Amino acid sequence: MKTRIFTSLLVLSNILTVSCFGNKKKVRPKVKPGNLHKVHDPVHVIVNKVGPFNNPMETYRYYSLPYCHVHGDEPEAEKPKTAIKARRDREGAETYRQRLGEHLVGDKKESSPFELTYGDNIEWMILCSKILQPEEIQKFHDAIHNNYFFEMFVEDLPMWGYIGEIVGEDELFGDVVEGGKTFLYPHLHFKLGMNKGHIVSATVSTNGDKKVDITDTTSPTAEPVKFSYSVEWVDEPQILWKDRMSRYVDNRFLPGGFEIHWLSIINAFVLVLLLTAFLTIIMMRVLRNDFSRYLDIDEESAEDEESGWKLIHGDVFRFPPNPEFFCACVGTGSQLLVATFLLLSLALSGVVSTTRRGSILSALIVLFCFTSFIGGFVSSKLYRQMNGKNWIHSAILNGTIFPVPVFVTFSYVNSVSLMHKSTSALPYHSILLVGALFLFLAFPLNVVGSIMGRNYGDNDFNAPTRTTKIAREIPTDVLW
């Protein structure tokens, strides 16, 4: 009863926290990739999140920093001659509809006021111009000192870049030395690749020549900071739309130390497999002889001849005092093992896309729900072989022994993330969706598997060695 009350309070607190801190702004329909564009068709730049480069789990909304929400209008004298006449109806900070997987990986896609059109280059265009107040300068200053990066999208193509840089930083300790300066990058350059009406590549870079000094955080900027952008379209016929994600395999945004050394991993994996196979062959030969000998001799003579760890051979397969908990652990372990194997198989075969954001986590949740039948069957079958009687309690324990601790931990972490307004927090509708999958899919399949294991499982527990009638006494003396 106490556990149910505690769990209900956690659910209620999580939903209330989301309701208090959630974003209730207008929701836009999802931008689908693969649209066939014509020249001058509008292209949307989607902003996602910002966060420290060394801690990718700590992410926040892009507009948690004081970026431009609306495209500003400059006087005609300040407008560049090459600037195109784009539609001025794009506003920033409007949320896009997202899939469950995107919520699971902490995405927070929002609209931006960048005015891009297909095939039209822009040498320079003003986004907005404003005087940064001390509190806004402090936000940019802290983000740059924490090595923040930003993430944007054009359709489903991600782009990354840094917010600014520090000149005069101690490379060893990361502190700014005396006379060091902090600079903000207000200009972004978009380089987009096109092929027969499709957008096949997208990158964004900053311009160090147009950086703004924001070292002084005590007073507003002397002049308005001009946030601007430029666009370059490049024809890339060698990149097909279906292969647009291939270049991210060799992405250089990550430092060289983060690159995966596949040859070393394969060598280590093969070596571990060979050593495991050799050790298994040796152990099986030794254990096979011991098992056959233990089945032929009586208990007293076996204890007289053996020493060391072999003295407990008659207690290894003794039924535990709490068979429900033991069977639930075995059943859940079998379920997780099968779900992991299926996930790897689907990912390697291409059924589950590894480049689609959040698809791995979404597939893992669905596979865990469907493999609940296996967990219930294995647990109930083993519980029957151990002569268990309270099979209903065993089925309920098997269905909750893994999800309940995960949910309790998630509720605490998610509530903390929501209070800090991090994008890694899962919104309430995604929590309800995952909860519905567990209540109406995973748990019923677990009960069905438990019934099948109870009615059609083997009755006899065929242990490889005999279990002694009297349990061996465990020494109570300790070495310290």
Side-chain angles (χ1 to χ4, degrees), residues 166-197:
I166 302 174
V167 177
E169 183 181 14
D170 190 341
E171 296 182 358
L172 182 59
F173 298 100
D175 299 328
V176 180
V177 299
E178 185 177 356
K181 293 183 177 296
T182 304
F183 292 96
L184 171 68
Y185 294 143
H187 181 81
L188 297 179
H189 177 73
F190 297 98
K191 185 177 181 180
L192 306 175
M194 55 183 178
N195 183 10
K196 296 180 180 179

Side-chain angles (χ1 to χ4, degrees), residues 25 28 47 61 63 68-71 90-95 110-114:
K25 293 185 179 181
R28 290 190 174 190
V47 296
R61 291 178 58 234
Y63 288 107
C68 304
H69 287 63
V70 181
H71 203 300
R90 303 186 190 181
E91 293 185 1
E94 293 184 356
T95 305
E110 296 176 287
S111 62
S112 69
F114 295 102

Side-chain angles (χ1 to χ4, degrees), residues 348-451:
L348 292 174
S349 60
V351 177
V352 176
S353 175
T354 56
T355 58
R356 191 179 184 184
R357 298 178 68 87
S359 60
I360 296 294
L361 292 177
S362 300
L364 181 60
I365 292 176
V366 174
L367 288 175
F368 177 82
C369 294
F370 279 106
T371 53
S372 297
F373 175 85
I374 298 175
F377 181 84
V378 173
S379 174
S380 182
K381 176 183 175 181
L382 183 60
Y383 187 66
R384 180 183 182 181
Q385 293 174 347
M386 291 184 175
N387 301 320
K389 303 300 181 182
N390 193 2
W391 74 273
I392 297 179
H393 180 262
S394 175
I396 296 175
L397 184 61
N398 178 73
T400 57
I401 193 172
F402 181 75
V404 169
V406 170
F407 176 74
V408 172
T409 305
F410 162 78
S411 298
Y412 172 75
V413 174
N414 198 63
S415 300
V416 172
S417 299
L418 282 169
M419 287 187 290
H420 288 82
K421 298 181 179 180
S422 173
T423 61
S424 59
L426 204 61
Y428 73 95
H429 50 81
S430 298
I431 298 175
L432 294 178
L433 177 59
V434 175
L437 286 174
F438 171 75
L439 291 177
F440 300 108
L441 182 61
F443 194 78
L445 285 177
N446 170 72
V447 173
V448 172
S450 299
I451 296 174

